[in-house]
Amino acid sequence: MTTQHLRLGVNIDHVATIRNARGGGHPDPVRAARLAAAAGADGITAHLREDRRHISDTDIDRLVNNIDLPLNLEIAATDEMLSIAVRHKPHAACIVPEKRQEVTTEGGLDAAGGIVLLRPYCTALAAAGIRVSLFIDPEARQLDAAKALGAPVVELHTGAFCEAFLEDREGPPVKAELKRLEAAAAHAAALGLECHAGHGLTYDTVGFVAAIGSVVELNIGHFLVGEAIFCGLDSAIKRMRVLMDQARADGAGARSA
Ligand code: PXP
């Protein structure tokens, strides 16, 4: 299955990280979300972490009430996060693993090992009309578990691929990680799961993932917010969009050739 339009979800967590470095209200993640919408984002992603290190509860309130784009709320599988999600009813909730000491989301959710723990959260989110997504490593057993949990969406963790690329962009690990992503995306399609991907993507790496035809959405944050320091958020998002669209079009061309 090839989807021509590849959606871009802009993750605004690190606008809040910069704001929180000083306290106060600047820079405002809601303003960033509005700007992202104007620049061509298809959705906004925000991770309400248990330690509230970036996005706050007030940010979620304000995002829900002030943006027109679909909100993808990233949460850990906890009762507190479930009740926040059910109260706000975002378009989607992406369940992610969370460790307090980690700098960012390291590795995917162990859906295969956590079916019993995850099932009530998936069921309750779906019952509230929220589209459930599971952030998993690109492994067949994790996809099979997502299917067993009834999640309609999976988001493949692209961190290992991006890290391998940073180490040595021509090296065998990059090719191996890309193959894992391609195989996982194909497996997701075969299972009837909508496939998203994200984590660590940059201008240099986005094209490889965008070229995978069965991936329908990329969620990108840190690089865009970092790049915004140099060229502005609008321009960073537009450039990312162009690179995604080019890779998608080239990928489609290669498949039909
Ligand atoms: N998708 C998920 C599920 C994430 O947890 C994150 C990071 O919060 C991202 C995408 C975006 O990753 P990055 O900020 O590295 O672009």
Side-chain angles (χ1 to χ4, degrees), residues 129-192:
I130 301 165
R131 228 165 132 66
V132 179
S133 163
L134 302 181
F135 187 44
I136 55 174
D137 288 328
E139 291 171 9
R141 68 192 191 98
Q142 300 296 350
L143 290 154
D144 294 340
K147 180 73 181 174
L149 282 161
V153 183
V154 288
E155 180 166 334
L156 302 179
H157 198 306
T158 52
F161 165 69
C162 292
E163 272 166 35
F165 190 92
L166 275 179
E167 282 284 311
D168 174 6
R169 58 175 63 198
E170 304 288 344
V174 179
K175 292 191 181 79
E177 289 299 338
L178 187 58
K179 278 217 167 73
R180 277 178 82 206
L181 287 168
E182 288 167 347
H187 194 63
L191 291 172

Side-chain angles (χ1 to χ4, degrees), residues 34-85:
R34 287 212 196 91
L35 208 147
D42 301 288
I44 298 298
T45 292
H47 184 174
L48 184 66
R49 290 190 73 105
E50 288 186 271
D51 62 9
R52 310 300 198 269
R53 70 174 71 158
H54 36 57
I55 292 293
S56 67
D57 297 69
T58 309
D59 291 330
I60 298 299
D61 275 342
R62 292 179 59 238
L63 284 167
V64 167
N65 292 314
N66 291 288
I67 61 166
D68 294 327
L69 290 180
L71 176 65
N72 174 34
L73 177 64
E74 292 178 6
I75 51 171
T78 67
D79 291 349
E80 183 202 15
M81 290 299 151
L82 174 63
S83 73
I84 291 169

Side-chain angles (χ1 to χ4, degrees), residues 1-2 9 24 27 33-34 50 64 111 118 140 153 170-171 176 191 193 217 219 222-223 246 253 255:
M1 183 188 69
T2 296
R34 287 212 196 91
E50 288 186 271
V64 167
L118 291 167
V153 183
E170 304 288 344
L191 291 172
L193 298 171
E217 178 175 309
N219 284 301
H222 184 269
F223 180 81
Q246 266 172 6
R255 275 187 295 275

